[in-house]
């Protein structure tokens, strides 16, 4: 089955607002900004005999998640609570998302590296997805699938909207500029094969707003490193 993941403008706005808040704003006086964020995706499904359409209508950030520069851990109790509340309001939990933040000071994380590897799911991400699917299988959901989304934010020197669009022909990854940051939105449905190995299902990211190149690049301003504090960034308009 082929999966189409649809993001409307409100959902994309929520992802960017919360993703950049975790990236730019100092949390609890930590030494490092650029934290990873975790959120839940809500909306509804539409199915045909050959396709499933995931319509993401809104995004809820997991405020109880443990956020750090290189990882984020969601609270399972919070996930269960929000799932039940959403169902009571006739919304389905479609999946989850998190962010990959890369500050300018991280010299090893070049834009080429981010395009090739950094905007993809990490080994730890894939292990976590496998564990989630194994739990679903153990609960009797043998044909279970999960939708996972990652927003990668890479701080660069200046506005750079070259190569904006689908990344290297991949239908499930879209590159776009926000101020002096490059963003990469990846959406992927996963399942387990008969041997219990994680496999990526055919997935297509659809977003009329991004695909129409209605970006906020020119109005956003700049994210820059504060002098004398290489690991802290701020928003400068």
């Amino acid at each position: 089955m082929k999966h189409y993941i649809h993001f409307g403008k409100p959902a994309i706005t929520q992802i960017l607002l919360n993703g950049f808040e975790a990236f730019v704003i100092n949390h609890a006086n930590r030494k490092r900004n650029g934290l990873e964020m975790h959120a839940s995706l809500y909306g509804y499904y539409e199915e045909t005999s050959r396709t499933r359409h995931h319509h993401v209508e809104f995004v809820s950030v997991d405020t109880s998640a443990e956020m750090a520069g290189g990882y984020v851990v969601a609270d399972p109790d919070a996930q269960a609570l929000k799932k039940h509340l959403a169902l009571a309001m006739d919304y389905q939990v479609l999946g989850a998302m998190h962010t990959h933040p890369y500050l300018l000071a991280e010299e090893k994380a070049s834009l080429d590296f981010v395009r090739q590897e950094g905007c993809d799911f990490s080994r730890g991400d894939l292990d976590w997805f496998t564990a989630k699917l194994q739990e679903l299988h153990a609960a009797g959901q043998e044909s279970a699938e999960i939708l996972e989304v990652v927003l990668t934010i890479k701080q660069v020197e200046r506005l750079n909207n070259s190569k904006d669009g689908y990344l290297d022909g991949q239908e499930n990854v879209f590159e776009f500029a926000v101020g002096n940051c490059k963003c990469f939105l990846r959406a992927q449905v996963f399942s387990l094969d008969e041997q219990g190995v994680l496999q990526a299902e055919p997935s297509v990211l659809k977003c009329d707003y991004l695909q129409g190149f209605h970006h906020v690049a020119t109005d956003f301003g700049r994210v820059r490193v504060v002098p004398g504090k290489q690991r802290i960034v701020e928003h400068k308009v």
Side-chain angles (χ1 to χ4, degrees):
M1 179 176 287
K2 194 166 188 175
H3 296 264
Y4 292 85
I5 301 95
H6 302 264
F7 285 91
K9 184 179 178 181
I12 288 296
T13 301
Q14 289 173 317
I15 288 173
L16 291 177
L17 290 178
N18 293 295
F20 270 89
E21 181 181 9
F23 187 80
V24 175
I25 304 301
N26 184 264
H27 288 67
N29 295 318
R30 297 186 183 184
K31 292 183 178 180
R32 177 198 163 105
N33 284 37
L35 301 179
E36 289 199 20
M37 174 203 78
H38 190 275
S40 305
L41 309 175
Y42 299 89
Y44 65 96
Y45 297 106
E46 288 182 325
E47 283 194 13
T48 69
S49 59
R50 297 182 179 180
T51 64
R52 170 175 267 198
H53 293 261
H54 310 247
H55 295 272
V56 182
E57 293 204 323
F58 69 93
V59 178
S60 174
V61 174
D62 296 323
T63 58
S64 57
E66 179 185 351
M67 301 192 302
Y71 67 90
V72 62
V73 180
D75 186 323
D77 289 336
Q79 297 282 294
L81 170 65
K82 294 201 291 186
K83 178 180 179 180
H84 287 298
L85 287 172
L87 288 173
M89 300 177 72
D90 295 323
Y91 282 106
Q92 292 178 291
V93 180
L94 300 186
M97 71 154 292
H98 67 287
T99 56
H100 285 176
Y102 291 97
L103 300 175
L104 190 63
E106 298 173 78
E107 296 179 0
K108 294 182 180 180
S110 67
L111 190 52
D112 285 340
F113 166 81
V114 173
R115 284 194 177 107
Q116 294 168 12
E117 299 181 42
C119 69
D120 204 347
F121 298 107
S122 68
R123 182 69 259 170
D125 292 338
L126 299 177
D127 290 342
W128 174 238
F129 303 158
T130 301
K132 287 202 292 186
L133 283 165
Q134 288 173 341
E135 288 182 5
L136 293 174
H137 279 224
Q141 300 182 43
E142 297 297 329
S143 60
E145 297 172 328
I146 58 173
L147 167 62
E148 296 291 341
V149 174
V150 60
L151 170 68
T152 301
I153 303 174
K154 165 59 180 168
Q155 182 190 12
V156 293
E157 290 283 1
R158 59 186 61 85
L159 172 65
N160 177 359
N161 56 10
S162 66
K163 297 189 177 182
D164 280 5
Y166 284 105
L167 182 64
D168 297 330
Q170 300 178 63
E171 292 183 304
N172 67 326
V173 190
F174 200 89
E175 175 179 341
F176 58 101
V178 179
N180 65 313
C181 293
K182 272 297 213 177
C183 297
F184 302 82
L185 187 66
R186 178 184 295 269
Q188 180 66 60
V189 173
F190 291 98
S191 64
L192 296 181
D193 64 17
E194 294 181 355
Q195 286 71 46
V197 177
L198 188 72
Q199 62 180 5
E201 298 290 335
S203 302
V204 180
L205 171 65
K206 303 291 289 184
C207 179
D208 291 341
Y209 183 76
L210 291 181
Q211 289 171 254
F213 292 96
H214 301 296
H215 299 167
V216 291
T218 56
D219 297 324
F220 177 72
R222 285 178 56 82
V223 170
R224 72 178 182 88
V225 176
V226 179
K229 299 181 180 180
Q230 284 193 328
R231 305 300 283 182
I232 308 298
V233 296
E234 70 175 10
H235 173 220
K236 181 183 179 183
V237 295

